[in-house]
Amino acid sequence: MVCLVLLGFLIYHRDNRTIRRSAPLVTITLLIGATGLALAQLLTSFARTNAWCTINLYLFHLSMNLILMALLVKNYRIYKIFTNNKATAIAITESRLMMYIGITTLFYVILLTVIATALGYKAIVKQSKSNRFYQYVQCSVSNTTWNIIVQITLNVLLYIQIIASLILAFLTRNVKAEYRESKRLASFAIIIFISMLIFIPLIFTLGDSTDSQILRYVIGVEFITITVISTVALLFVPIVLAV
């Protein structure tokens, strides 16, 4: 609900100087990603079916891509402006930034479609190795080897995006004071990076007992919650206050 209210606020005040300076289309894209991620969190409470697994696969990874790419292109824009040593001014248009986001989104759609269809990503009933009386449902690719490859690929892509943002944030750490958004972008990137370093490995290294499945659910919810709250608190509350 908060994300939807903020989305309406940004659209209504899209001509405000503060919002225009922060690349409004990219900012709105980032908020759409946060909204999608919050919706993915709600879906974690639903019973796992083939349709649920497919929807959540697309929703989570496309939303994370929108958030991380919006963060990346915002840092890229600041980097290009403040490292320009030419006498002429440099213009980084929003359409160019949105093109980068669109290209990566299309790539993800193709990749996820291959995973969901060609590789058979679905809800699979697993038998616990530690408790012969316990079974659970897991969203995964049928073939164990391919499932490992898919999980590694998807997580490496996320790490590449966030590390690129961290590098650009570091290179633009000394920008002028009026461009305070760069500091908030850097803080957001650090929080997400640390969260990914802690939570993602934990999710895939837990066992298959009843307690492990509950903990895996809690960790996933915590990761999404931290991402959404950080997005709102660091990147949007200051904009609202400035407007």
PDB file of all heavy atoms in Angstrom, residues 160-184:
ATOM      1  N   ILE A 160      26.159  -9.454  -9.836  1.00  0.00           N
ATOM      2  CA  ILE A 160      26.840  -8.604 -10.821  1.00  0.00           C
ATOM      3  C   ILE A 160      26.217  -7.214 -10.837  1.00  0.00           C
ATOM      4  O   ILE A 160      26.928  -6.192 -10.838  1.00  0.00           O
ATOM      5  CB  ILE A 160      26.765  -9.237 -12.231  1.00  0.00           C
ATOM      6  CG1 ILE A 160      27.665 -10.465 -12.308  1.00  0.00           C
ATOM      7  CG2 ILE A 160      27.167  -8.220 -13.304  1.00  0.00           C
ATOM      8  CD1 ILE A 160      27.534 -11.234 -13.603  1.00  0.00           C
ATOM      9  N   GLN A 161      24.899  -7.155 -10.819  1.00  0.00           N
ATOM     10  CA  GLN A 161      24.204  -5.864 -10.854  1.00  0.00           C
ATOM     11  C   GLN A 161      24.507  -5.028  -9.615  1.00  0.00           C
ATOM     12  O   GLN A 161      24.794  -3.831  -9.721  1.00  0.00           O
ATOM     13  CB  GLN A 161      22.693  -6.094 -10.986  1.00  0.00           C
ATOM     14  CG  GLN A 161      22.261  -6.599 -12.353  1.00  0.00           C
ATOM     15  CD  GLN A 161      20.788  -6.962 -12.381  1.00  0.00           C
ATOM     16  OE1 GLN A 161      20.329  -7.837 -11.649  1.00  0.00           O
ATOM     17  NE2 GLN A 161      20.031  -6.299 -13.230  1.00  0.00           N
ATOM     18  N   ILE A 162      24.446  -5.654  -8.446  1.00  0.00           N
ATOM     19  CA  ILE A 162      24.651  -4.886  -7.220  1.00  0.00           C
ATOM     20  C   ILE A 162      26.112  -4.490  -7.047  1.00  0.00           C
ATOM     21  O   ILE A 162      26.422  -3.390  -6.564  1.00  0.00           O
ATOM     22  CB  ILE A 162      24.128  -5.669  -5.989  1.00  0.00           C
ATOM     23  CG1 ILE A 162      24.014  -4.744  -4.774  1.00  0.00           C
ATOM     24  CG2 ILE A 162      25.012  -6.851  -5.660  1.00  0.00           C
ATOM     25  CD1 ILE A 162      22.998  -3.649  -4.923  1.00  0.00           C
ATOM     26  N   ILE A 163      27.046  -5.351  -7.452  1.00  0.00           N
ATOM     27  CA  ILE A 163      28.473  -5.009  -7.351  1.00  0.00           C
ATOM     28  C   ILE A 163      28.809  -3.854  -8.298  1.00  0.00           C
ATOM     29  O   ILE A 163      29.589  -2.952  -7.946  1.00  0.00           O
ATOM     30  CB  ILE A 163      29.346  -6.247  -7.643  1.00  0.00           C
ATOM     31  CG1 ILE A 163      29.232  -7.254  -6.499  1.00  0.00           C
ATOM     32  CG2 ILE A 163      30.807  -5.849  -7.851  1.00  0.00           C
ATOM     33  CD1 ILE A 163      29.923  -8.580  -6.759  1.00  0.00           C
ATOM     34  N   ALA A 164      28.223  -3.861  -9.497  1.00  0.00           N
ATOM     35  CA  ALA A 164      28.438  -2.751 -10.438  1.00  0.00           C
ATOM     36  C   ALA A 164      27.940  -1.440  -9.837  1.00  0.00           C
ATOM     37  O   ALA A 164      28.585  -0.392  -9.976  1.00  0.00           O
ATOM     38  CB  ALA A 164      27.728  -3.046 -11.755  1.00  0.00           C
ATOM     39  N   SER A 165      26.788  -1.493  -9.147  1.00  0.00           N
ATOM     40  CA  SER A 165      26.262  -0.293  -8.487  1.00  0.00           C
ATOM     41  C   SER A 165      27.194   0.174  -7.378  1.00  0.00           C
ATOM     42  O   SER A 165      27.411   1.383  -7.206  1.00  0.00           O
ATOM     43  CB  SER A 165      24.866  -0.579  -7.919  1.00  0.00           C
ATOM     44  OG  SER A 165      23.920  -0.751  -8.935  1.00  0.00           O
ATOM     45  N   LEU A 166      27.735  -0.769  -6.625  1.00  0.00           N
ATOM     46  CA  LEU A 166      28.655  -0.414  -5.544  1.00  0.00           C
ATOM     47  C   LEU A 166      29.914   0.263  -6.089  1.00  0.00           C
ATOM     48  O   LEU A 166      30.413   1.228  -5.502  1.00  0.00           O
ATOM     49  CB  LEU A 166      29.038  -1.661  -4.749  1.00  0.00           C
ATOM     50  CG  LEU A 166      27.995  -2.205  -3.766  1.00  0.00           C
ATOM     51  CD1 LEU A 166      28.438  -3.559  -3.229  1.00  0.00           C
ATOM     52  CD2 LEU A 166      27.775  -1.222  -2.622  1.00  0.00           C
ATOM     53  N   ILE A 167      30.427  -0.243  -7.188  1.00  0.00           N
ATOM     54  CA  ILE A 167      31.630   0.339  -7.796  1.00  0.00           C
ATOM     55  C   ILE A 167      31.365   1.772  -8.244  1.00  0.00           C
ATOM     56  O   ILE A 167      32.150   2.689  -7.978  1.00  0.00           O
ATOM     57  CB  ILE A 167      32.110  -0.521  -8.981  1.00  0.00           C
ATOM     58  CG1 ILE A 167      32.622  -1.878  -8.482  1.00  0.00           C
ATOM     59  CG2 ILE A 167      33.209   0.203  -9.772  1.00  0.00           C
ATOM     60  CD1 ILE A 167      32.936  -2.862  -9.576  1.00  0.00           C
ATOM     61  N   LEU A 168      30.230   1.983  -8.929  1.00  0.00           N
ATOM     62  CA  LEU A 168      29.883   3.326  -9.394  1.00  0.00           C
ATOM     63  C   LEU A 168      29.609   4.262  -8.221  1.00  0.00           C
ATOM     64  O   LEU A 168      29.969   5.442  -8.258  1.00  0.00           O
ATOM     65  CB  LEU A 168      28.660   3.262 -10.313  1.00  0.00           C
ATOM     66  CG  LEU A 168      28.886   2.627 -11.683  1.00  0.00           C
ATOM     67  CD1 LEU A 168      27.582   2.526 -12.455  1.00  0.00           C
ATOM     68  CD2 LEU A 168      29.913   3.425 -12.488  1.00  0.00           C
ATOM     69  N   ALA A 169      28.973   3.732  -7.170  1.00  0.00           N
ATOM     70  CA  ALA A 169      28.708   4.555  -5.984  1.00  0.00           C
ATOM     71  C   ALA A 169      30.018   4.985  -5.334  1.00  0.00           C
ATOM     72  O   ALA A 169      30.149   6.122  -4.862  1.00  0.00           O
ATOM     73  CB  ALA A 169      27.850   3.771  -4.997  1.00  0.00           C
ATOM     74  N   PHE A 170      31.001   4.090  -5.305  1.00  0.00           N
ATOM     75  CA  PHE A 170      32.308   4.428  -4.741  1.00  0.00           C
ATOM     76  C   PHE A 170      33.007   5.500  -5.582  1.00  0.00           C
ATOM     77  O   PHE A 170      33.607   6.431  -5.037  1.00  0.00           O
ATOM     78  CB  PHE A 170      33.181   3.176  -4.665  1.00  0.00           C
ATOM     79  CG  PHE A 170      34.584   3.439  -4.198  1.00  0.00           C
ATOM     80  CD1 PHE A 170      34.857   3.637  -2.853  1.00  0.00           C
ATOM     81  CD2 PHE A 170      35.637   3.505  -5.113  1.00  0.00           C
ATOM     82  CE1 PHE A 170      36.144   3.895  -2.427  1.00  0.00           C
ATOM     83  CE2 PHE A 170      36.926   3.764  -4.694  1.00  0.00           C
ATOM     84  CZ  PHE A 170      37.191   3.955  -3.346  1.00  0.00           C
ATOM     85  N   LEU A 171      32.900   5.390  -6.896  1.00  0.00           N
ATOM     86  CA  LEU A 171      33.566   6.338  -7.788  1.00  0.00           C
ATOM     87  C   LEU A 171      32.917   7.724  -7.744  1.00  0.00           C
ATOM     88  O   LEU A 171      33.546   8.706  -8.123  1.00  0.00           O
ATOM     89  CB  LEU A 171      33.542   5.802  -9.226  1.00  0.00           C
ATOM     90  CG  LEU A 171      34.357   4.526  -9.476  1.00  0.00           C
ATOM     91  CD1 LEU A 171      34.159   4.032 -10.903  1.00  0.00           C
ATOM     92  CD2 LEU A 171      35.841   4.769  -9.193  1.00  0.00           C
ATOM     93  N   THR A 172      31.655   7.789  -7.290  1.00  0.00           N
ATOM     94  CA  THR A 172      30.960   9.084  -7.222  1.00  0.00           C
ATOM     95  C   THR A 172      30.761   9.534  -5.775  1.00  0.00           C
ATOM     96  O   THR A 172      29.865  10.322  -5.481  1.00  0.00           O
ATOM     97  CB  THR A 172      29.590   8.995  -7.923  1.00  0.00           C
ATOM     98  OG1 THR A 172      28.811   7.938  -7.322  1.00  0.00           O
ATOM     99  CG2 THR A 172      29.732   8.702  -9.401  1.00  0.00           C
ATOM    100  N   ARG A 173      31.601   9.057  -4.868  1.00  0.00           N
ATOM    101  CA  ARG A 173      31.421   9.363  -3.450  1.00  0.00           C
ATOM    102  C   ARG A 173      31.683  10.826  -3.124  1.00  0.00           C
ATOM    103  O   ARG A 173      31.242  11.320  -2.079  1.00  0.00           O
ATOM    104  CB  ARG A 173      32.336   8.473  -2.602  1.00  0.00           C
ATOM    105  CG  ARG A 173      33.817   8.712  -2.828  1.00  0.00           C
ATOM    106  CD  ARG A 173      34.653   7.617  -2.176  1.00  0.00           C
ATOM    107  NE  ARG A 173      36.091   7.838  -2.332  1.00  0.00           N
ATOM    108  CZ  ARG A 173      36.765   7.565  -3.435  1.00  0.00           C
ATOM    109  NH1 ARG A 173      36.139   7.075  -4.486  1.00  0.00           N
ATOM    110  NH2 ARG A 173      38.064   7.789  -3.506  1.00  0.00           N
ATOM    111  N   ASN A 174      32.393  11.547  -3.988  1.00  0.00           N
ATOM    112  CA  ASN A 174      32.761  12.936  -3.690  1.00  0.00           C
ATOM    113  C   ASN A 174      32.015  13.952  -4.550  1.00  0.00           C
ATOM    114  O   ASN A 174      32.529  15.041  -4.803  1.00  0.00           O
ATOM    115  CB  ASN A 174      34.273  13.118  -3.892  1.00  0.00           C
ATOM    116  CG  ASN A 174      35.091  12.302  -2.917  1.00  0.00           C
ATOM    117  OD1 ASN A 174      34.732  12.184  -1.748  1.00  0.00           O
ATOM    118  ND2 ASN A 174      36.182  11.721  -3.394  1.00  0.00           N
ATOM    119  N   VAL A 175      30.809  13.613  -4.988  1.00  0.00           N
ATOM    120  CA  VAL A 175      30.058  14.547  -5.824  1.00  0.00           C
ATOM    121  C   VAL A 175      29.593  15.731  -4.987  1.00  0.00           C
ATOM    122  O   VAL A 175      29.643  15.705  -3.751  1.00  0.00           O
ATOM    123  CB  VAL A 175      28.842  13.852  -6.482  1.00  0.00           C
ATOM    124  CG1 VAL A 175      29.292  12.702  -7.357  1.00  0.00           C
ATOM    125  CG2 VAL A 175      27.855  13.372  -5.426  1.00  0.00           C
ATOM    126  N   LYS A 176      29.102  16.750  -5.662  1.00  0.00           N
ATOM    127  CA  LYS A 176      28.681  17.969  -4.987  1.00  0.00           C
ATOM    128  C   LYS A 176      27.555  17.698  -3.995  1.00  0.00           C
ATOM    129  O   LYS A 176      26.756  16.785  -4.169  1.00  0.00           O
ATOM    130  CB  LYS A 176      28.231  19.003  -6.019  1.00  0.00           C
ATOM    131  CG  LYS A 176      29.355  19.460  -6.935  1.00  0.00           C
ATOM    132  CD  LYS A 176      28.847  20.478  -7.946  1.00  0.00           C
ATOM    133  CE  LYS A 176      29.967  20.930  -8.877  1.00  0.00           C
ATOM    134  NZ  LYS A 176      29.486  21.903  -9.893  1.00  0.00           N
ATOM    135  N   ALA A 177      27.488  18.517  -2.969  1.00  0.00           N
ATOM    136  CA  ALA A 177      26.539  18.303  -1.872  1.00  0.00           C
ATOM    137  C   ALA A 177      25.085  18.312  -2.325  1.00  0.00           C
ATOM    138  O   ALA A 177      24.249  17.622  -1.757  1.00  0.00           O
ATOM    139  CB  ALA A 177      26.749  19.383  -0.805  1.00  0.00           C
ATOM    140  N   GLU A 178      24.770  19.109  -3.363  1.00  0.00           N
ATOM    141  CA  GLU A 178      23.375  19.181  -3.789  1.00  0.00           C
ATOM    142  C   GLU A 178      22.888  17.888  -4.428  1.00  0.00           C
ATOM    143  O   GLU A 178      21.695  17.687  -4.588  1.00  0.00           O
ATOM    144  CB  GLU A 178      23.164  20.357  -4.752  1.00  0.00           C
ATOM    145  CG  GLU A 178      23.993  20.308  -6.021  1.00  0.00           C
ATOM    146  CD  GLU A 178      25.281  21.106  -5.900  1.00  0.00           C
ATOM    147  OE1 GLU A 178      25.773  21.229  -4.769  1.00  0.00           O
ATOM    148  OE2 GLU A 178      25.771  21.599  -6.924  1.00  0.00           O
ATOM    149  N   TYR A 179      23.809  17.020  -4.785  1.00  0.00           N
ATOM    150  CA  TYR A 179      23.423  15.729  -5.353  1.00  0.00           C
ATOM    151  C   TYR A 179      23.510  14.652  -4.261  1.00  0.00           C
ATOM    152  O   TYR A 179      24.250  13.687  -4.362  1.00  0.00           O
ATOM    153  CB  TYR A 179      24.311  15.372  -6.544  1.00  0.00           C
ATOM    154  CG  TYR A 179      24.001  16.195  -7.759  1.00  0.00           C
ATOM    155  CD1 TYR A 179      24.611  17.427  -7.948  1.00  0.00           C
ATOM    156  CD2 TYR A 179      23.081  15.760  -8.701  1.00  0.00           C
ATOM    157  CE1 TYR A 179      24.317  18.201  -9.057  1.00  0.00           C
ATOM    158  CE2 TYR A 179      22.783  16.530  -9.815  1.00  0.00           C
ATOM    159  CZ  TYR A 179      23.402  17.747  -9.991  1.00  0.00           C
ATOM    160  OH  TYR A 179      23.110  18.516 -11.077  1.00  0.00           O
ATOM    161  N   ARG A 180      22.753  14.867  -3.207  1.00  0.00           N
ATOM    162  CA  ARG A 180      22.792  13.959  -2.056  1.00  0.00           C
ATOM    163  C   ARG A 180      22.245  12.585  -2.388  1.00  0.00           C
ATOM    164  O   ARG A 180      22.450  11.640  -1.630  1.00  0.00           O
ATOM    165  CB  ARG A 180      22.013  14.568  -0.889  1.00  0.00           C
ATOM    166  CG  ARG A 180      22.645  15.842  -0.324  1.00  0.00           C
ATOM    167  CD  ARG A 180      21.889  16.339   0.891  1.00  0.00           C
ATOM    168  NE  ARG A 180      22.494  17.544   1.422  1.00  0.00           N
ATOM    169  CZ  ARG A 180      22.162  18.772   1.035  1.00  0.00           C
ATOM    170  NH1 ARG A 180      21.251  18.946   0.103  1.00  0.00           N
ATOM    171  NH2 ARG A 180      22.747  19.816   1.576  1.00  0.00           N
ATOM    172  N   GLU A 181      21.520  12.474  -3.490  1.00  0.00           N
ATOM    173  CA  GLU A 181      20.953  11.177  -3.849  1.00  0.00           C
ATOM    174  C   GLU A 181      22.052  10.123  -4.011  1.00  0.00           C
ATOM    175  O   GLU A 181      21.833   8.937  -3.745  1.00  0.00           O
ATOM    176  CB  GLU A 181      20.142  11.272  -5.144  1.00  0.00           C
ATOM    177  CG  GLU A 181      19.390   9.986  -5.469  1.00  0.00           C
ATOM    178  CD  GLU A 181      18.636  10.043  -6.777  1.00  0.00           C
ATOM    179  OE1 GLU A 181      19.074  10.781  -7.698  1.00  0.00           O
ATOM    180  OE2 GLU A 181      17.615   9.349  -6.888  1.00  0.00           O
ATOM    181  N   SER A 182      23.244  10.544  -4.438  1.00  0.00           N
ATOM    182  CA  SER A 182      24.334   9.590  -4.632  1.00  0.00           C
ATOM    183  C   SER A 182      24.696   8.909  -3.315  1.00  0.00           C
ATOM    184  O   SER A 182      25.036   7.725  -3.289  1.00  0.00           O
ATOM    185  CB  SER A 182      25.562  10.282  -5.216  1.00  0.00           C
ATOM    186  OG  SER A 182      26.070  11.243  -4.315  1.00  0.00           O
ATOM    187  N   LYS A 183      24.622   9.642  -2.204  1.00  0.00           N
ATOM    188  CA  LYS A 183      24.927   9.057  -0.896  1.00  0.00           C
ATOM    189  C   LYS A 183      23.863   8.041  -0.518  1.00  0.00           C
ATOM    190  O   LYS A 183      24.168   6.963   0.019  1.00  0.00           O
ATOM    191  CB  LYS A 183      25.000  10.158   0.172  1.00  0.00           C
ATOM    192  CG  LYS A 183      25.929  11.317  -0.170  1.00  0.00           C
ATOM    193  CD  LYS A 183      27.370  10.872  -0.297  1.00  0.00           C
ATOM    194  CE  LYS A 183      28.274  12.067  -0.578  1.00  0.00           C
ATOM    195  NZ  LYS A 183      29.680  11.667  -0.786  1.00  0.00           N
ATOM    196  N   ARG A 184      22.607   8.377  -0.785  1.00  0.00           N
ATOM    197  CA  ARG A 184      21.517   7.455  -0.467  1.00  0.00           C
ATOM    198  C   ARG A 184      21.578   6.217  -1.346  1.00  0.00           C
ATOM    199  O   ARG A 184      21.296   5.098  -0.891  1.00  0.00           O
ATOM    200  CB  ARG A 184      20.174   8.165  -0.619  1.00  0.00           C
ATOM    201  CG  ARG A 184      19.982   9.361   0.301  1.00  0.00           C
ATOM    202  CD  ARG A 184      18.535   9.783   0.363  1.00  0.00           C
ATOM    203  NE  ARG A 184      18.015  10.176  -0.934  1.00  0.00           N
ATOM    204  CZ  ARG A 184      18.043  11.420  -1.410  1.00  0.00           C
ATOM    205  NH1 ARG A 184      18.597  12.377  -0.683  1.00  0.00           N
ATOM    206  NH2 ARG A 184      17.545  11.710  -2.590  1.00  0.00           N
TER     207      ARG A 184
END
